[in-house]
Amino acid sequence: MNNYVNDFVVRFANVNGTGSASANNMFAKSIFRMGIPVAPKNIFPSNIQGLPTWYEVRVSEKGYLGRREGIDVMVAVNPQSFARDVADVKPGGYLIYDSTKPLHQELRNDITFIGVPMTALCLEHYSVPRLQQLFKNIVYVGALSKLLDIEVSVFEEIFAEQFAGKEKLIAPNMQALNLGRDYIAEHYNFPLKFRLERRDLVKDAILIDGNTACGIGAVYGGATVAAWYPITPSTSLMDGFDKYAAKLRIDAETGKRNYAIVQMEDELASMGVVIGAGWNGARAFTATSGPGVSLMSEFIGLSYFAEVPAVLVDVQRGGPSTGMPTRTQQSDLISAAYASHGDTKHILLFPSTPKECFDMMAMSFDLAEQLQTLVIVMTDLDLGMNDHMSPPFEWDDQKAYQRGKVLNAQQIEEAIDWGRYKDVDGDGIPYRTLPGTHPSKGAYFTRGTSRDEYAKYTEEGAPYVRNMDRLLKKWETAKSYVPRPEIVRFEQDASEGLIYFGTTAWAAKECTDRMEMEGVLLNAMRIKAFPFNQEVSDYIHAHDIIYVVEQNRDAQLKTLLVNELSIDPNKLISILNYDGFPITADKIGNLIHQLKPSAVTDTAFK
């Protein structure tokens, strides 16, 4: 087997709003169905239609599913971006284009141009203009499938599933696919040097996006109230919750829904509904992106100070302000960790895969109730809106939700000196009551102003300090509740280590593997949550140098590590990426070599 089998990147260059996303996604699925690991990335503009859009598919037999530098096969059907698309192809690669109108000249002599008259074929076989446009996408998928040696039976299966109940659409789609395949068979040698061979490498994995996974996780985590305001890239998360709640949260006897989804007038109101529902004992959540977190800050502070359970999903995008709404970043860490005015700290969870989106979303409701506070699940556009290979989700139907310190009627009756904000166990977590639990006892006044241990309003300094110190003790307790970091590699003779989180995991893993093959040993830790526990501190102190990989300009994870763990900032070297695209292994490796202290030398990164 040569290096070109099951190891390359295909990019589709389209116009937004032409229906190409569905066809491109079908192409990615076809590779997955052949048992080969695949990672698709949809790169789209923030307007409705008319601007360039790209769709990348990385094929990696080794299972490296981060974005990779360089394009091996380009399908360029957008005249607006054609010159750029030609330039992006690696030397020795291929460019497939619509040859209905001939090129004036081939712009490069180090790549191969493959012309397919896509428009002409569709004009010949379809009379409806909209169908001509839609089937043009299927034609180029067909041509590419022949060039790469994808089995046609895979598309037959995909069409049968996709058009179940609309079987009349199968034949015209197969016709369009075969128009492309037949044209290649008649005019070109195939397959290309970049080609596919069936494998059995995906096992029982699924292809799913992180937003849908979070939505399902909310259902299984016991959420019954969701309040939201639409914002890219989080909107599809609520769609996922709605879809699966409609199947799984229906009363068997009455047929009525036992959940509520409320679209509010803005993000602030959404968080208000979530806090109100949490105060009443419901498991409630909202989803937004960076601008929404900014607007929610006032109510976020109320959740922290009044100690009301709530869950927020922040699907991060490019900022500041409106920024780049359809590009990915990890630039909300500090704003989320310390959201609201005054001294506040919030629990953050960092999933890296759809399965972790499911697991951590379900877990977040337990954490919120156990710790009586807001829990923020930090994903990003790349994880949230792109399909990823993921292990199937698992759930134990015998699992009991962890409701934390909630007094029942008998406990309230027997309580001698209960105070809503008293720490009786030494962990900083008080006992709470829910409305209506007892007919005459257990009531207290919930407020966002200072109070004593019995929830009585006061502006005296001493009770305020006791309360703030207790909240800090609760923060320390939270370190034993949140997910521990993943020690990917910890060889004692390695003086340098890598720290990363979230979607940087894909590229970081590939980078460390490649560096090891070059004789450079680099330890690695993936952080899964904030606050950081002792393992994070021990890992940092065990190395001379720590490279911190993150996708923002201001080194926000490094800032949190320095602030929270009192780390010498000179020990932490930032590996940053903030161009809106997922970081690559190439960039991590090259930056490590560029930024490495002069006292340390090794081979150049290939």
Side-chain angles (χ1 to χ4, degrees):
M1 184 183 75
N2 61 45
N3 292 333
Y4 302 123
V5 175
N6 299 341
D7 185 14
F8 53 87
V9 175
V10 178
R11 177 187 284 179
F12 300 88
N14 302 102
V15 178
N16 196 34
T18 58
S20 58
S22 177
N24 299 340
N25 181 256
M26 190 182 305
F27 170 78
K29 283 183 178 179
S30 70
I31 300 171
F32 182 72
R33 295 293 180 90
M34 289 180 64
I36 305 165
V38 64
K41 307 287 184 191
N42 191 16
I43 306 165
F44 59 100
S46 57
N47 74 328
I48 297 176
Q49 66 178 34
L51 290 181
T53 182
W54 294 270
Y55 190 94
E56 287 183 8
V57 179
R58 182 176 185 184
V59 182
S60 174
E61 183 158 303
K62 294 181 179 179
Y64 293 136
L65 301 179
R67 189 166 178 262
R68 198 206 74 186
E69 305 280 353
I71 306 302
D72 299 304
V73 182
M74 175 76 74
V75 180
V77 294
N78 183 3
Q80 289 177 281
S81 63
F82 192 79
R84 171 183 171 180
D85 297 329
V86 171
D88 284 343
V89 181
K90 292 176 66 176
Y94 300 84
L95 185 134
I96 303 166
Y97 67 98
D98 186 352
S99 61
T100 299
K101 293 183 179 180
L103 293 178
H104 294 296
Q105 61 178 352
E106 294 189 354
L107 304 177
R108 292 175 57 181
N109 58 15
D110 61 344
I111 64 174
T112 301
F113 289 78
I114 299 175
V116 179
M118 307 167 195
T119 300
L121 290 171
C122 289
L123 289 173
E124 179 182 351
H125 290 88
Y126 305 101
S127 58
V128 180
R130 180 58 177 164
L131 292 181
Q132 292 169 351
Q133 174 59 62
L134 291 174
F135 285 128
K136 177 181 175 180
N137 303 320
I138 304 299
V139 168
Y140 70 61
V141 169
L144 190 57
S145 72
K146 193 71 171 178
L147 289 167
L148 298 178
D149 212 14
I150 302 178
E151 301 162 6
V152 69
S153 60
V154 172
F155 289 99
E156 292 172 345
E157 295 173 3
I158 292 173
F159 285 145
E161 294 173 7
Q162 185 164 328
F163 300 120
K166 301 177 181 178
E167 282 74 13
K168 64 180 181 179
L169 297 177
I170 296 177
N173 275 276
M174 281 302 304
Q175 180 189 25
L177 187 84
N178 286 322
L179 286 174
R181 291 179 65 90
D182 293 345
Y183 188 87
I184 294 298
E186 294 170 13
H187 295 86
Y188 293 97
N189 294 323
F190 61 90
L192 306 179
K193 66 178 181 181
F194 299 108
R195 61 188 181 85
L196 296 162
E197 288 182 359
R198 178 174 282 277
R199 296 286 187 265
D200 185 22
L201 300 173
V202 304
K203 304 303 179 183
D204 60 350
I206 59 176
L207 270 181
I208 190 170
D209 63 272
N211 279 353
T212 300
C214 281
I216 301 172
V219 174
Y220 278 84
T224 56
V225 177
W228 70 301
Y229 185 78
I231 182 173
T232 301
S234 70
T235 299
S236 60
L237 193 155
M238 283 298 177
D239 294 338
F241 177 71
D242 187 24
K243 175 182 177 181
Y244 287 92
K247 295 179 179 179
L248 301 172
R249 289 202 169 278
I250 303 298
D251 187 273
E253 296 182 2
T254 65
K256 294 182 178 180
R257 297 182 177 186
N258 54 16
Y259 65 96
I261 300 178
V262 187
Q263 180 175 331
M264 300 303 295
E265 64 269 24
D266 56 33
E267 288 86 350
L268 180 59
S270 300
M271 181 54 74
V273 169
V274 170
I275 292 174
W279 178 83
N280 273 283
R283 291 192 155 191
F285 76 101
T286 187
T288 189
S289 192
V293 174
S294 298
L295 291 169
M296 293 175 180
S297 288
E298 184 176 356
F299 267 142
I300 286 175
L302 177 63
S303 172
Y304 175 82
F305 199 55
E307 297 178 73
V308 179
V311 172
L312 164 64
V313 186
D314 180 4
V315 190
Q316 298 167 90
R317 70 188 205 185
S321 187
T322 306
M324 295 192 293
T326 58
R327 295 292 184 265
T328 195
Q329 278 190 5
Q330 296 173 315
S331 53
D332 296 348
L333 268 69
I334 291 177
S335 63
Y338 303 128
S340 192
H341 52 278
D343 293 323
T344 56
K345 293 184 180 184
H346 306 293
I347 294 167
L348 310 181
L349 303 180
F350 303 124
S352 290
T353 65
K355 186 178 188 303
E356 285 192 342
C357 285
F358 171 82
D359 291 339
M360 289 188 180
M361 190 68 188
M363 176 196 305
S364 67
F365 295 98
D366 279 354
L367 290 175
E369 292 204 290
Q370 288 174 305
L371 296 165
Q372 299 175 29
T373 193
L374 174 69
V375 174
I376 308 177
V377 181
M378 305 290 290
T379 72
D380 57 34
L381 183 145
D382 179 28
L383 179 54
M385 295 193 70
N386 287 319
D387 282 342
H388 295 265
M389 268 183 55
S390 171
F393 304 159
E394 299 174 346
W395 187 258
D396 181 1
D397 288 332
Q398 303 303 312
K399 174 181 170 60
Y401 297 139
Q402 302 300 311
R403 305 305 302 266
K405 296 180 178 181
V406 181
L407 299 177
N408 58 34
Q410 182 178 346
Q411 290 170 324
I412 294 173
E413 188 70 42
E414 295 172 352
I416 298 173
D417 188 31
W418 173 74
R420 171 64 182 96
Y421 297 108
K422 284 184 65 175
D423 178 13
V424 298
D425 298 324
D427 58 5
I429 305 172
Y431 285 83
R432 65 184 178 121
T433 62
L434 299 179
T437 301
H438 191 282
S440 60
K441 297 181 179 181
Y444 64 95
F445 196 91
T446 303
R447 61 174 82 244
T449 50
S450 180
R451 70 279 162 149
D452 65 12
E453 288 80 354
Y454 299 91
K456 182 180 178 181
Y457 170 73
T458 179
E459 292 187 19
E460 293 183 10
Y464 173 81
V465 169
R466 290 198 302 271
N467 189 61
M468 293 298 287
D469 288 347
R470 180 184 56 76
L471 288 170
L472 200 57
K473 184 184 294 185
K474 184 169 73 169
W475 180 253
E476 291 299 313
T477 299
K479 294 178 180 180
S480 64
Y481 281 73
V482 300
R484 297 168 54 196
E486 177 187 6
I487 305 293
V488 181
R489 181 190 302 162
F490 199 166
E491 301 292 340
Q492 295 300 319
D493 56 345
S495 63
E496 300 179 39
L498 204 65
I499 282 181
Y500 53 90
F501 69 104
T503 50
T504 59
W506 307 100
K509 175 64 167 63
E510 181 178 358
C511 177
T512 54
D513 286 354
R514 288 167 60 179
M515 294 187 78
E516 183 178 20
M517 288 188 289
E518 296 170 9
V520 180
L521 185 59
L522 193 65
N523 284 336
M525 166 185 277
R526 179 165 68 91
I527 291 178
K528 293 186 177 184
F530 176 73
F532 310 123
N533 65 13
Q534 189 62 40
E535 285 181 79
V536 177
S537 181
D538 292 344
Y539 175 84
I540 294 174
H541 287 296
H543 296 85
D544 297 331
I545 300 170
I546 294 290
Y547 300 99
V548 184
V549 182
E550 48 187 316
Q551 299 189 123
N552 57 68
R553 184 196 69 181
D554 293 341
Q556 295 185 27
L557 178 60
K558 175 183 175 180
T559 300
L560 289 178
L561 290 168
V562 170
N563 285 352
E564 298 294 324
L565 301 179
S566 300
I567 301 295
D568 177 2
N570 296 316
K571 188 173 188 174
L572 306 181
I573 299 177
S574 293
I575 304 297
L576 305 177
N577 182 73
Y578 45 92
D579 62 1
F581 295 93
I583 195 169
T584 64
D586 301 270
K587 184 162 188 176
I588 295 174
N590 289 331
L591 285 174
I592 285 175
H593 287 285
Q594 291 174 26
L595 299 172
K596 184 185 296 291
S598 58
V600 184
T601 59
D602 53 42
T603 58
F605 189 70
K606 304 297 184 182

